[in-house]
mmCIF file of all heavy atoms in Angstrom:
data_model
loop_
_atom_site.group_PDB
_atom_site.id
_atom_site.type_symbol
_atom_site.label_atom_id
_atom_site.label_comp_id
_atom_site.label_asym_id
_atom_site.label_seq_id
_atom_site.Cartn_x
_atom_site.Cartn_y
_atom_site.Cartn_z
ATOM 1 N N LEU I 822 340.717 0.919 91.102
ATOM 2 C CA LEU I 822 340.787 2.363 91.577
ATOM 3 C C LEU I 822 339.532 3.158 91.429
ATOM 4 O O LEU I 822 339.032 3.916 92.424
ATOM 5 C CB LEU I 822 341.979 3.008 90.870
ATOM 6 C CG LEU I 822 342.165 4.516 91.310
ATOM 7 C CD1 LEU I 822 342.678 4.559 92.754
ATOM 8 C CD2 LEU I 822 343.255 5.055 90.352
ATOM 9 N N VAL I 823 338.860 2.962 90.298
ATOM 10 C CA VAL I 823 337.504 3.748 90.145
ATOM 11 C C VAL I 823 336.430 3.183 91.151
ATOM 12 O O VAL I 823 335.860 4.081 91.809
ATOM 13 C CB VAL I 823 336.984 3.415 88.785
ATOM 14 C CG1 VAL I 823 335.545 3.964 88.613
ATOM 15 C CG2 VAL I 823 337.884 4.246 87.697
ATOM 16 N N ALA I 824 336.461 1.883 91.447
ATOM 17 C CA ALA I 824 335.446 1.347 92.313
ATOM 18 C C ALA I 824 335.758 1.834 93.795
ATOM 19 O O ALA I 824 334.917 2.199 94.471
ATOM 20 C CB ALA I 824 335.576 -0.250 92.240
ATOM 21 N N GLU I 825 337.071 1.825 94.178
ATOM 22 C CA GLU I 825 337.387 2.160 95.499
ATOM 23 C C GLU I 825 337.212 3.591 95.709
ATOM 24 O O GLU I 825 336.696 4.107 96.766
ATOM 25 C CB GLU I 825 338.884 1.871 95.812
ATOM 26 C CG GLU I 825 339.439 2.115 97.096
ATOM 27 C CD GLU I 825 340.794 1.744 97.326
ATOM 28 O OE1 GLU I 825 341.298 0.662 96.832
ATOM 29 O OE2 GLU I 825 341.562 2.617 97.979
ATOM 30 N N THR I 826 337.565 4.528 94.720
ATOM 31 C CA THR I 826 337.385 6.034 94.787
ATOM 32 C C THR I 826 335.858 6.431 94.806
ATOM 33 O O THR I 826 335.355 7.217 95.616
ATOM 34 C CB THR I 826 338.191 6.719 93.697
ATOM 35 O OG1 THR I 826 339.487 6.316 93.805
ATOM 36 C CG2 THR I 826 338.118 8.104 93.893
ATOM 37 N N SER I 827 335.075 5.577 94.132
ATOM 38 C CA SER I 827 333.650 5.718 94.012
ATOM 39 C C SER I 827 332.923 5.529 95.439
ATOM 40 O O SER I 827 332.179 6.119 95.866
ATOM 41 C CB SER I 827 333.032 4.911 92.991
ATOM 42 O OG SER I 827 331.711 5.074 92.887
ATOM 43 N N THR I 828 333.610 4.453 96.059
ATOM 44 C CA THR I 828 332.992 3.984 97.414
ATOM 45 C C THR I 828 333.250 5.224 98.407
ATOM 46 O O THR I 828 332.429 5.610 99.184
ATOM 47 C CB THR I 828 333.658 2.735 97.903
ATOM 48 O OG1 THR I 828 333.316 1.640 96.884
ATOM 49 C CG2 THR I 828 333.133 2.423 99.224
ATOM 50 N N HIS I 829 334.622 5.667 98.354
ATOM 51 C CA HIS I 829 334.958 6.801 99.157
ATOM 52 C C HIS I 829 333.900 8.031 98.886
ATOM 53 O O HIS I 829 333.536 8.677 99.905
ATOM 54 C CB HIS I 829 336.345 7.269 99.059
ATOM 55 C CG HIS I 829 337.376 6.274 99.551
ATOM 56 N ND1 HIS I 829 337.385 5.858 100.896
ATOM 57 C CD2 HIS I 829 338.308 5.639 98.932
ATOM 58 C CE1 HIS I 829 338.405 4.929 100.926
ATOM 59 N NE2 HIS I 829 338.970 4.876 99.762
ATOM 60 N N ALA I 830 333.772 8.319 97.671
ATOM 61 C CA ALA I 830 332.972 9.526 97.295
ATOM 62 C C ALA I 830 331.508 9.329 97.844
ATOM 63 O O ALA I 830 330.854 10.319 98.232
ATOM 64 C CB ALA I 830 333.004 9.655 95.795
ATOM 65 N N MET I 831 331.044 8.130 97.632
ATOM 66 C CA MET I 831 329.534 7.846 98.078
ATOM 67 C C MET I 831 329.463 8.034 99.568
ATOM 68 O O MET I 831 328.557 8.517 100.166
ATOM 69 C CB MET I 831 329.142 6.549 97.578
ATOM 70 C CG MET I 831 328.839 6.624 96.104
ATOM 71 S SD MET I 831 328.058 5.075 95.447
ATOM 72 C CE MET I 831 329.298 3.861 95.609
ATOM 73 N N VAL I 832 330.496 7.470 100.395
ATOM 74 C CA VAL I 832 330.498 7.644 101.753
ATOM 75 C C VAL I 832 330.423 9.076 102.214
ATOM 76 O O VAL I 832 329.775 9.575 103.178
ATOM 77 C CB VAL I 832 331.528 6.699 102.429
ATOM 78 C CG1 VAL I 832 331.705 7.057 103.908
ATOM 79 C CG2 VAL I 832 331.278 5.251 102.257
ATOM 80 N N ILE I 833 331.533 9.780 101.586
ATOM 81 C CA ILE I 833 331.629 11.255 101.999
ATOM 82 C C ILE I 833 330.314 12.006 101.609
ATOM 83 O O ILE I 833 329.814 12.885 102.391
ATOM 84 C CB ILE I 833 332.835 11.828 101.288
ATOM 85 C CG1 ILE I 833 334.130 11.206 101.807
ATOM 86 C CG2 ILE I 833 332.854 13.339 101.300
ATOM 87 C CD1 ILE I 833 334.473 11.429 103.080
ATOM 88 N N ALA I 834 329.784 11.670 100.423
ATOM 89 C CA ALA I 834 328.493 12.367 99.976
ATOM 90 C C ALA I 834 327.417 12.090 100.979
ATOM 91 O O ALA I 834 326.700 13.023 101.290
ATOM 92 C CB ALA I 834 328.201 11.943 98.585
ATOM 93 N N ASP I 835 327.184 10.875 101.388
ATOM 94 C CA ASP I 835 326.156 10.510 102.272
ATOM 95 C C ASP I 835 326.368 11.175 103.666
ATOM 96 O O ASP I 835 325.333 11.654 104.294
ATOM 97 C CB ASP I 835 326.161 8.947 102.544
ATOM 98 C CG ASP I 835 325.537 8.279 101.368
ATOM 99 O OD1 ASP I 835 325.012 8.844 100.473
ATOM 100 O OD2 ASP I 835 325.681 6.964 101.256
ATOM 101 N N SER I 837 327.867 14.016 104.192
ATOM 102 C CA SER I 837 327.906 15.449 104.252
ATOM 103 C C SER I 837 326.581 15.988 103.745
ATOM 104 O O SER I 837 326.622 17.343 103.610
ATOM 105 C CB SER I 837 329.082 15.912 103.210
ATOM 106 O OG SER I 837 328.690 15.399 101.905
ATOM 107 N N THR I 838 325.601 15.351 103.704
ATOM 108 C CA THR I 838 324.234 15.881 103.397
ATOM 109 C C THR I 838 323.902 16.982 104.234
ATOM 110 O O THR I 838 323.411 18.089 103.881
ATOM 111 C CB THR I 838 323.191 14.707 103.398
ATOM 112 O OG1 THR I 838 323.577 13.603 102.481
ATOM 113 C CG2 THR I 838 321.914 15.320 102.975
ATOM 114 N N VAL I 841 326.077 20.210 103.819
ATOM 115 C CA VAL I 841 325.794 20.968 102.605
ATOM 116 C C VAL I 841 324.350 21.656 102.737
ATOM 117 O O VAL I 841 324.274 22.801 102.415
ATOM 118 C CB VAL I 841 325.867 20.064 101.408
ATOM 119 C CG1 VAL I 841 325.278 20.769 100.237
ATOM 120 C CG2 VAL I 841 327.227 19.494 101.150
ATOM 121 N N LEU I 853 335.587 15.728 105.558
ATOM 122 C CA LEU I 853 336.695 15.533 104.521
ATOM 123 C C LEU I 853 337.925 15.167 105.267
ATOM 124 O O LEU I 853 338.744 14.378 104.750
ATOM 125 C CB LEU I 853 336.919 16.588 103.703
ATOM 126 C CG LEU I 853 335.856 17.017 102.775
ATOM 127 C CD1 LEU I 853 336.132 18.277 101.940
ATOM 128 C CD2 LEU I 853 335.729 15.872 101.680
ATOM 129 N N ALA I 865 340.339 16.657 97.875
ATOM 130 C CA ALA I 865 338.923 16.519 97.892
ATOM 131 C C ALA I 865 338.301 17.782 98.271
ATOM 132 O O ALA I 865 338.817 18.646 98.907
ATOM 133 C CB ALA I 865 338.389 15.395 98.803
ATOM 134 N N CYS I 866 337.052 18.071 97.699
ATOM 135 C CA CYS I 866 336.356 19.222 98.007
ATOM 136 C C CYS I 866 334.837 18.889 97.886
ATOM 137 O O CYS I 866 334.399 18.001 97.106
ATOM 138 C CB CYS I 866 336.699 20.404 97.281
ATOM 139 S SG CYS I 866 336.163 20.505 95.438
ATOM 140 N N ILE I 867 334.006 19.734 98.599
ATOM 141 C CA ILE I 867 332.679 19.566 98.536
ATOM 142 C C ILE I 867 331.954 20.897 98.032
ATOM 143 O O ILE I 867 332.414 22.082 98.555
ATOM 144 C CB ILE I 867 332.027 19.331 100.019
ATOM 145 C CG1 ILE I 867 332.473 18.082 100.494
ATOM 146 C CG2 ILE I 867 330.488 19.467 99.949
ATOM 147 C CD1 ILE I 867 332.041 17.762 101.935
ATOM 148 N N TYR I 868 331.301 20.810 96.926
ATOM 149 C CA TYR I 868 330.624 21.966 96.322
ATOM 150 C C TYR I 868 329.163 22.132 96.866
ATOM 151 O O TYR I 868 328.464 21.181 96.944
ATOM 152 C CB TYR I 868 330.517 21.858 94.785
ATOM 153 C CG TYR I 868 331.855 21.814 94.206
ATOM 154 C CD1 TYR I 868 332.483 20.469 93.874
ATOM 155 C CD2 TYR I 868 332.597 22.845 93.756
ATOM 156 C CE1 TYR I 868 333.642 20.480 93.182
ATOM 157 C CE2 TYR I 868 333.801 22.700 93.105
ATOM 158 C CZ TYR I 868 334.328 21.497 92.752
ATOM 159 O OH TYR I 868 335.532 21.545 92.169
ATOM 160 N N GLU I 869 328.726 23.408 97.002
ATOM 161 C CA GLU I 869 327.420 23.596 97.116
ATOM 162 C C GLU I 869 326.640 23.601 95.864
ATOM 163 O O GLU I 869 327.251 23.423 94.803
ATOM 164 C CB GLU I 869 327.133 25.092 97.708
ATOM 165 C CG GLU I 869 327.777 25.178 99.243
ATOM 166 C CD GLU I 869 327.583 26.544 99.748
ATOM 167 O OE1 GLU I 869 326.615 27.068 99.636
ATOM 168 O OE2 GLU I 869 328.533 27.014 100.240
ATOM 169 N N ILE I 870 325.294 23.652 95.810
ATOM 170 C CA ILE I 870 324.494 23.447 94.603
ATOM 171 C C ILE I 870 324.891 24.629 93.535
ATOM 172 O O ILE I 870 324.759 24.339 92.382
ATOM 173 C CB ILE I 870 322.986 23.385 94.887
ATOM 174 C CG1 ILE I 870 322.243 23.028 93.556
ATOM 175 C CG2 ILE I 870 322.486 24.785 95.397
ATOM 176 C CD1 ILE I 870 322.574 21.643 93.199
ATOM 177 N N PRO I 890 338.352 22.224 90.273
ATOM 178 C CA PRO I 890 337.805 22.324 88.903
ATOM 179 C C PRO I 890 336.270 22.709 88.972
ATOM 180 O O PRO I 890 335.611 22.698 90.168
ATOM 181 C CB PRO I 890 337.958 20.942 88.282
ATOM 182 C CG PRO I 890 337.851 20.013 89.424
ATOM 183 C CD PRO I 890 338.609 20.790 90.610
ATOM 184 N N GLU I 891 335.634 23.046 87.806
ATOM 185 C CA GLU I 891 334.182 23.343 87.839
ATOM 186 C C GLU I 891 333.472 22.061 88.129
ATOM 187 O O GLU I 891 333.819 21.001 87.607
ATOM 188 C CB GLU I 891 333.790 23.821 86.511
ATOM 189 C CG GLU I 891 334.343 25.204 86.089
ATOM 190 C CD GLU I 891 333.652 26.289 87.018
ATOM 191 O OE1 GLU I 891 332.387 26.135 87.157
ATOM 192 O OE2 GLU I 891 334.304 27.167 87.439
ATOM 193 N N PRO I 892 332.491 22.078 89.014
ATOM 194 C CA PRO I 892 331.861 20.827 89.379
ATOM 195 C C PRO I 892 331.030 20.317 88.163
ATOM 196 O O PRO I 892 330.565 20.926 87.278
ATOM 197 C CB PRO I 892 330.757 21.238 90.443
ATOM 198 C CG PRO I 892 330.666 22.729 90.361
ATOM 199 C CD PRO I 892 331.900 23.263 89.703
ATOM 200 N N LYS I 893 330.947 19.077 88.073
ATOM 201 C CA LYS I 893 330.389 18.227 87.022
ATOM 202 C C LYS I 893 329.285 17.313 87.616
ATOM 203 O O LYS I 893 329.282 17.103 88.814
ATOM 204 C CB LYS I 893 331.388 17.545 86.053
ATOM 205 C CG LYS I 893 332.313 18.454 85.462
ATOM 206 C CD LYS I 893 333.292 17.678 84.612
ATOM 207 C CE LYS I 893 333.979 18.558 83.797
ATOM 208 N NZ LYS I 893 335.302 18.917 84.002
ATOM 209 N N SER I 894 328.561 16.674 86.773
ATOM 210 C CA SER I 894 327.666 15.564 87.247
ATOM 211 C C SER I 894 328.451 14.297 87.698
ATOM 212 O O SER I 894 329.686 14.286 87.693
ATOM 213 C CB SER I 894 326.589 15.356 86.356
ATOM 214 O OG SER I 894 327.219 14.951 85.155
ATOM 215 N N ASP I 895 327.702 13.392 87.835
ATOM 216 C CA ASP I 895 328.305 11.938 88.246
ATOM 217 C C ASP I 895 329.294 11.507 87.180
ATOM 218 O O ASP I 895 328.737 10.890 86.112
ATOM 219 C CB ASP I 895 327.129 11.014 88.393
ATOM 220 C CG ASP I 895 327.676 9.781 89.082
ATOM 221 O OD1 ASP I 895 328.779 9.635 89.467
ATOM 222 O OD2 ASP I 895 326.762 8.801 89.556
ATOM 223 N N GLU I 896 330.539 11.765 87.231
ATOM 224 C CA GLU I 896 331.557 11.244 86.233
ATOM 225 C C GLU I 896 332.867 11.031 86.851
ATOM 226 O O GLU I 896 333.083 11.519 87.951
ATOM 227 C CB GLU I 896 331.408 12.128 85.042
ATOM 228 C CG GLU I 896 331.984 13.550 85.228
ATOM 229 C CD GLU I 896 332.103 14.339 84.038
ATOM 230 O OE1 GLU I 896 331.070 14.717 83.471
ATOM 231 O OE2 GLU I 896 333.238 14.510 83.484
ATOM 232 N N HIS I 897 333.790 10.436 86.115
ATOM 233 C CA HIS I 897 335.111 10.242 86.378
ATOM 234 C C HIS I 897 335.984 10.201 85.029
ATOM 235 O O HIS I 897 335.461 9.879 84.155
ATOM 236 C CB HIS I 897 335.468 8.963 87.190
ATOM 237 C CG HIS I 897 335.291 7.762 86.557
ATOM 238 N ND1 HIS I 897 334.134 7.126 86.328
ATOM 239 C CD2 HIS I 897 336.117 7.077 85.836
ATOM 240 C CE1 HIS I 897 334.268 5.947 85.632
ATOM 241 N NE2 HIS I 897 335.430 5.853 85.275
ATOM 242 N N PHE I 898 337.265 10.601 85.396
ATOM 243 C CA PHE I 898 338.178 10.606 84.219
ATOM 244 C C PHE I 898 339.510 10.638 84.773
ATOM 245 O O PHE I 898 339.838 10.800 85.885
ATOM 246 C CB PHE I 898 337.944 11.818 83.283
ATOM 247 C CG PHE I 898 338.096 13.149 83.934
ATOM 248 C CD1 PHE I 898 339.312 13.703 84.110
ATOM 249 C CD2 PHE I 898 336.929 13.715 84.623
ATOM 250 C CE1 PHE I 898 339.462 14.998 84.748
ATOM 251 C CE2 PHE I 898 337.062 14.981 85.221
ATOM 252 C CZ PHE I 898 338.288 15.584 85.319
ATOM 253 N N LEU I 904 343.310 9.932 89.058
ATOM 254 C CA LEU I 904 341.847 9.798 88.803
ATOM 255 C C LEU I 904 341.124 10.870 89.397
ATOM 256 O O LEU I 904 341.280 11.206 90.502
ATOM 257 C CB LEU I 904 341.363 8.495 89.389
ATOM 258 C CG LEU I 904 339.864 8.252 89.416
ATOM 259 C CD1 LEU I 904 339.174 8.128 88.051
ATOM 260 C CD2 LEU I 904 339.593 6.984 90.291
ATOM 261 N N CYS I 905 340.219 11.564 88.635
ATOM 262 C CA CYS I 905 339.261 12.559 89.092
ATOM 263 C C CYS I 905 337.911 12.196 89.055
ATOM 264 O O CYS I 905 337.463 11.676 88.069
ATOM 265 C CB CYS I 905 339.444 13.911 88.288
ATOM 266 S SG CYS I 905 341.149 14.459 88.195
ATOM 267 N N MET I 906 337.073 12.362 90.169
ATOM 268 C CA MET I 906 335.841 11.800 90.233
ATOM 269 C C MET I 906 334.831 12.899 90.931
ATOM 270 O O MET I 906 335.148 13.407 91.899
ATOM 271 C CB MET I 906 335.815 10.471 91.051
ATOM 272 C CG MET I 906 334.352 9.885 91.314
ATOM 273 S SD MET I 906 334.545 8.294 92.009
ATOM 274 C CE MET I 906 335.295 7.274 90.762
ATOM 275 N N PHE I 907 333.691 13.011 90.308
ATOM 276 C CA PHE I 907 332.620 13.785 90.791
ATOM 277 C C PHE I 907 331.491 12.797 91.154
ATOM 278 O O PHE I 907 331.163 12.007 90.322
ATOM 279 C CB PHE I 907 332.197 14.838 89.697
ATOM 280 C CG PHE I 907 333.148 15.890 89.447
ATOM 281 C CD1 PHE I 907 334.014 15.688 88.320
ATOM 282 C CD2 PHE I 907 333.220 17.091 90.102
ATOM 283 C CE1 PHE I 907 335.003 16.634 87.970
ATOM 284 C CE2 PHE I 907 334.148 17.959 89.823
ATOM 285 C CZ PHE I 907 335.019 17.757 88.774
ATOM 286 N N LYS I 908 330.768 13.124 92.349
ATOM 287 C CA LYS I 908 329.579 12.432 92.701
ATOM 288 C C LYS I 908 328.594 13.383 93.289
ATOM 289 O O LYS I 908 329.067 14.362 93.975
ATOM 290 C CB LYS I 908 329.857 11.265 93.805
ATOM 291 C CG LYS I 908 330.657 10.062 93.288
ATOM 292 C CD LYS I 908 329.809 9.202 92.557
ATOM 293 C CE LYS I 908 330.431 7.984 92.030
ATOM 294 N NZ LYS I 908 329.762 7.227 91.151
ATOM 295 N N PRO I 909 327.338 13.251 92.997
ATOM 296 C CA PRO I 909 326.303 14.198 93.491
ATOM 297 C C PRO I 909 326.111 13.902 94.987
ATOM 298 O O PRO I 909 326.170 12.777 95.439
ATOM 299 C CB PRO I 909 325.149 13.965 92.604
ATOM 300 C CG PRO I 909 325.292 12.498 92.131
ATOM 301 C CD PRO I 909 326.664 12.317 92.078
ATOM 302 N N ILE I 910 325.770 15.003 95.779
ATOM 303 C CA ILE I 910 325.321 14.799 97.126
ATOM 304 C C ILE I 910 323.771 15.071 97.019
ATOM 305 O O ILE I 910 323.331 16.114 96.571
ATOM 306 C CB ILE I 910 325.914 15.924 97.974
ATOM 307 C CG1 ILE I 910 327.445 15.741 98.026
ATOM 308 C CG2 ILE I 910 325.475 15.850 99.371
ATOM 309 C CD1 ILE I 910 328.332 16.865 98.684
ATOM 310 N N THR I 911 323.052 14.132 97.501
ATOM 311 C CA THR I 911 321.597 14.170 97.438
ATOM 312 C C THR I 911 320.972 14.151 98.802
ATOM 313 O O THR I 911 321.448 13.583 99.672
ATOM 314 C CB THR I 911 320.990 13.098 96.564
ATOM 315 O OG1 THR I 911 321.368 11.819 97.222
ATOM 316 C CG2 THR I 911 321.536 13.082 95.161
ATOM 317 N N ASN I 912 319.792 14.809 98.778
ATOM 318 C CA ASN I 912 318.931 14.791 100.125
ATOM 319 C C ASN I 912 317.502 14.598 99.510
ATOM 320 O O ASN I 912 316.827 15.295 98.780
ATOM 321 C CB ASN I 912 319.048 16.133 100.726
ATOM 322 C CG ASN I 912 318.299 16.109 102.016
ATOM 323 O OD1 ASN I 912 317.937 15.083 102.535
ATOM 324 N ND2 ASN I 912 318.001 17.322 102.719
ATOM 325 N N GLU I 915 316.933 14.832 95.750
ATOM 326 C CA GLU I 915 317.336 16.093 95.140
ATOM 327 C C GLU I 915 318.807 16.357 95.285
ATOM 328 O O GLU I 915 319.446 16.226 96.382
ATOM 329 C CB GLU I 915 316.497 17.221 95.775
ATOM 330 C CG GLU I 915 316.763 18.517 95.208
ATOM 331 C CD GLU I 915 316.110 19.659 95.988
ATOM 332 O OE1 GLU I 915 314.983 19.357 96.741
ATOM 333 O OE2 GLU I 915 316.515 20.804 95.785
ATOM 334 N N VAL I 916 319.412 16.780 94.167
ATOM 335 C CA VAL I 916 320.915 17.158 94.171
ATOM 336 C C VAL I 916 321.186 18.460 94.922
ATOM 337 O O VAL I 916 320.461 19.338 94.557
ATOM 338 C CB VAL I 916 321.508 17.054 92.837
ATOM 339 C CG1 VAL I 916 322.981 17.659 92.829
ATOM 340 C CG2 VAL I 916 321.293 15.828 92.123
ATOM 341 N N ILE I 917 321.937 18.435 95.980
ATOM 342 C CA ILE I 917 322.156 19.639 96.876
ATOM 343 C C ILE I 917 323.649 20.141 96.681
ATOM 344 O O ILE I 917 323.917 21.095 97.154
ATOM 345 C CB ILE I 917 321.655 19.391 98.292
ATOM 346 C CG1 ILE I 917 322.414 18.302 98.883
ATOM 347 C CG2 ILE I 917 320.250 19.220 98.373
ATOM 348 C CD1 ILE I 917 322.234 18.238 100.372
ATOM 349 N N GLY I 918 324.409 19.293 96.126
ATOM 350 C CA GLY I 918 325.836 19.597 96.051
ATOM 351 C C GLY I 918 326.521 18.527 95.283
ATOM 352 O O GLY I 918 325.940 17.523 94.775
ATOM 353 N N THR I 919 327.914 18.601 95.295
ATOM 354 C CA THR I 919 328.847 17.690 94.579
ATOM 355 C C THR I 919 330.009 17.496 95.376
ATOM 356 O O THR I 919 330.537 18.359 96.081
ATOM 357 C CB THR I 919 329.318 18.188 93.174
ATOM 358 O OG1 THR I 919 328.039 18.632 92.523
ATOM 359 C CG2 THR I 919 330.091 17.279 92.428
ATOM 360 N N ILE I 920 330.500 16.196 95.298
ATOM 361 C CA ILE I 920 331.824 15.859 95.979
ATOM 362 C C ILE I 920 332.842 15.678 94.835
ATOM 363 O O ILE I 920 332.490 15.099 93.900
ATOM 364 C CB ILE I 920 331.659 14.643 96.912
ATOM 365 C CG1 ILE I 920 333.081 14.245 97.554
ATOM 366 C CG2 ILE I 920 331.237 13.449 96.219
ATOM 367 C CD1 ILE I 920 333.327 15.104 98.775
ATOM 368 N N TYR I 921 334.080 16.043 95.017
ATOM 369 C CA TYR I 921 335.083 15.904 94.032
ATOM 370 C C TYR I 921 336.225 15.267 94.722
ATOM 371 O O TYR I 921 336.690 15.777 95.860
ATOM 372 C CB TYR I 921 335.595 17.381 93.438
ATOM 373 C CG TYR I 921 336.798 17.172 92.524
ATOM 374 C CD1 TYR I 921 336.682 16.509 91.277
ATOM 375 C CD2 TYR I 921 337.965 17.707 93.064
ATOM 376 C CE1 TYR I 921 338.017 16.398 90.551
ATOM 377 C CE2 TYR I 921 339.113 17.630 92.203
ATOM 378 C CZ TYR I 921 339.169 17.029 91.062
ATOM 379 O OH TYR I 921 340.251 16.999 90.252
ATOM 380 N N LEU I 922 336.741 14.131 94.182
ATOM 381 C CA LEU I 922 337.990 13.366 94.679
ATOM 382 C C LEU I 922 338.992 13.337 93.624
ATOM 383 O O LEU I 922 338.608 13.020 92.532
ATOM 384 C CB LEU I 922 337.522 12.102 95.193
ATOM 385 C CG LEU I 922 336.572 12.027 96.452
ATOM 386 C CD1 LEU I 922 336.420 10.396 96.693
ATOM 387 C CD2 LEU I 922 337.113 12.724 97.696
ATOM 388 N N MET I 923 340.218 13.552 94.031
ATOM 389 C CA MET I 923 341.345 13.411 93.111
ATOM 390 C C MET I 923 342.215 12.321 93.827
ATOM 391 O O MET I 923 342.778 12.594 94.866
ATOM 392 C CB MET I 923 342.074 14.618 92.951
ATOM 393 C CG MET I 923 343.162 14.650 91.855
ATOM 394 S SD MET I 923 343.812 16.253 91.491
ATOM 395 C CE MET I 923 345.010 16.500 92.717
#
Side-chain angles (χ1 to χ4, degrees):
L822 180 61
V823 168
E825 185 177 317
T826 305
S827 181
T828 301
H829 289 306
M831 287 187 290
V832 169
I833 296 293
D835 288 345
S837 61
T838 302
V841 173
L853 288 177
C866 69
I867 296 174
Y868 297 96
E869 298 176 43
I870 191 66
E891 290 294 317
K893 297 182 168 101
S894 60
D895 190 0
E896 68 179 68
H897 70 274
F898 56 90
L904 164 66
C905 301
M906 180 173 289
F907 292 92
K908 287 286 182 188
I910 301 170
T911 59
N912 185 16
E915 180 184 341
V916 176
I917 60 170
T919 305
I920 179 84
Y921 171 72
L922 295 179
M923 189 168 84

